[in-house]
Amino acid sequence: MKKITTLVVAFILIFSFTSCKEDSLQSYLVKSQEKSGFITFDVPASIFQIKTDAVSAESQATLNSIKKVNVVALPFKDNATEIEAEKAQLVKILSGKTYKSIMRFNQKGMKVSMYYSGKEDAINEVIMFGYASDKGVGIARILGDGMNPAKIVKMMGDVKFDGSGVNLEQFKLLMK
């Protein structure tokens, strides 16, 4: 009886370790930080501080629902094979059950797809994924807490992101 129990426990452990091979977007973002040729950065929500009283309380609350932005990109530098491999890996991750497609469009030769996770009126993350064989591949993930897409679109119209309505000074470090 003890041998059977040991065999069953061993089988369950082996099965559980081999069945957890599915990649997640979080693991992809972490692994990409270690790869050469990738541009990666995380932007905390504190960088989006509103400096003006002209913005409504609703827009401020919507902006406060955004917690963090992660960006990973692999620019084109005669590395088309690597770009295709990264694109395939991201397509596989985003085609799972976790993410729902919002829209797809072409922008200046780049194919862009938007996804979200969570409920339609309380989104936890928004994903923008884009690629072009001659430009590269990139993904941006906006993490939040109960983000509402309609309110975010309204906020984008209310808040001027030209440096006078939002503190963008901290972005200068990224451009150097």
Side-chain angles (χ1 to χ4, degrees), residues 10-165:
F11 178 73
I12 291 172
L13 286 173
I14 290 170
F15 179 74
S16 65
F17 284 122
T18 58
S19 65
C20 296
K21 297 280 186 189
E22 185 176 321
D23 284 335
S24 69
L25 185 56
Q26 177 65 29
S27 66
Y28 177 84
L29 295 171
V30 170
K31 289 175 186 175
S32 295
Q33 291 178 353
E34 300 168 359
K35 295 179 182 177
S36 66
F38 279 77
I39 298 169
T40 64
F41 57 92
D42 298 331
V43 181
S46 61
I47 206 165
F48 300 116
Q49 297 171 359
I50 298 176
K51 297 192 313 187
T52 180
D53 293 332
V55 176
S56 70
E58 182 182 24
S59 290
Q60 287 180 349
T62 300
L63 190 58
N64 290 337
S65 72
I66 298 172
K67 302 299 179 203
K68 185 178 180 182
V69 179
N70 306 112
V71 178
V72 171
L74 177 62
F76 178 76
K77 293 182 181 170
D78 217 12
N79 56 350
T81 306
E82 189 177 2
I83 288 171
E84 283 299 316
E86 296 299 324
K87 179 189 113 182
Q89 188 174 3
L90 284 167
V91 166
K92 181 180 175 188
I93 291 169
L94 294 171
S95 65
K97 295 178 183 177
T98 305
Y99 300 103
K100 299 166 193 103
S101 179
I102 298 174
M103 71 169 89
R104 294 169 192 225
F105 57 93
N106 290 330
Q107 180 71 28
K108 297 181 182 178
M110 192 155 206
K111 295 181 182 184
V112 179
S113 301
M114 290 182 66
Y115 300 87
Y116 74 94
S117 71
K119 297 179 182 174
E120 290 177 9
D121 60 342
I123 293 175
N124 298 325
E125 61 184 326
V126 175
I127 310 297
M128 290 191 67
F129 164 60
Y131 65 91
S133 58
D134 61 338
K135 291 182 174 100
V137 62
I139 190 158
R141 176 176 74 163
I142 302 170
L143 293 171
D145 188 24
M147 296 181 292
N148 184 312
K151 289 182 180 179
I152 289 174
V153 169
K154 183 179 182 319
M155 176 203 65
M156 296 295 275
D158 291 347
V159 178
K160 294 180 182 174
F161 288 94
D162 61 0
S164 62

